[in-house]
Amino acid sequence: MENIDVVIKAVLAICGVIVTIGGATAVISRWLSPYKTLKKRVEEKADKSEIETFKDELERLKRYQTDDHDRLKGVEKGNNEICKCMLSLIDHELTGNSIDKLRKSKEEMQNYLIERK
C-alpha cells in the first residue's frame, strides 16, 4: 500500500512538472509572438525602402480621397435636384397652379438623371 502511494505521488509530481513547463512555454510564446510577427513583416518589406512604401500608401489614399470627393459631389448634386422637385411638388400642392414649375423641375430631373450616367 505504501508503494502505491509513492508511485501515485511520483506520477502526479511528474504530471505537475509537465503542466508547469507547458504553461510556461505557452506564456513565453505568447509574449514573443508580437516580436515574431513584426520581424516577419519587416523581412517581407525588406526589398522596398520604408519611404517608398509610405509613398505608395500615400498615393493610394490620395486616389481614394479623390474618388470619394467626386462621389460625394454627385450625391450632393442629386440631393439638390430632389429637393428642387420636392419644393415644386409642395408648391403645387399648396397653390394648385404651379404647373410650369413642375414641368421645369421634371426637365431638370431628367437632365440630371441622363447626365449622371
Side-chain angles (χ1 to χ4, degrees):
M1 196 68 163
E2 273 182 36
N3 292 337
I4 293 176
D5 287 341
V6 172
V7 171
I8 291 175
K9 288 179 183 179
V11 169
L12 289 176
I14 292 170
C15 289
V17 168
I18 292 171
V19 168
T20 303
I21 292 172
T25 56
V27 168
I28 291 171
S29 68
R30 283 190 203 134
W31 183 57
L32 293 177
S33 101
Y35 165 75
K36 290 178 185 177
T37 56
L38 181 62
K39 183 179 177 183
K40 185 178 177 182
R41 282 179 58 195
V42 168
E43 287 172 353
E44 288 174 356
K45 294 186 178 184
D47 58 337
K48 276 188 163 183
S49 73
E50 195 171 323
I51 294 174
E52 290 175 2
T53 304
F54 286 136
K55 283 181 181 178
D56 294 343
E57 185 72 15
L58 182 63
E59 289 301 318
R60 186 176 64 85
L61 292 174
K62 283 182 180 179
R63 280 194 314 269
Y64 287 158
Q65 182 182 13
T66 303
D67 293 345
D68 289 344
H69 182 267
D70 295 343
R71 202 172 297 126
L72 285 174
K73 285 295 181 185
V75 169
E76 196 174 286
K77 186 177 179 184
N79 285 341
N80 191 12
E81 291 296 325
I82 290 170
C83 288
K84 285 180 188 177
C85 291
M86 293 298 291
L87 283 173
S88 297
L89 287 171
I90 290 170
D91 191 38
H92 176 71
E93 189 68 30
L94 291 174
T95 62
N97 61 357
S98 298
I99 294 174
D100 293 332
K101 279 187 179 179
L102 285 174
R103 284 186 184 140
K104 183 180 176 189
S105 295
K106 179 187 172 200
E107 288 175 17
E108 288 177 358
M109 182 57 87
Q110 281 178 334
N111 289 336
Y112 167 73
L113 291 174
I114 291 170
E115 291 173 3
R116 188 178 77 168
K117 295 180 181 184

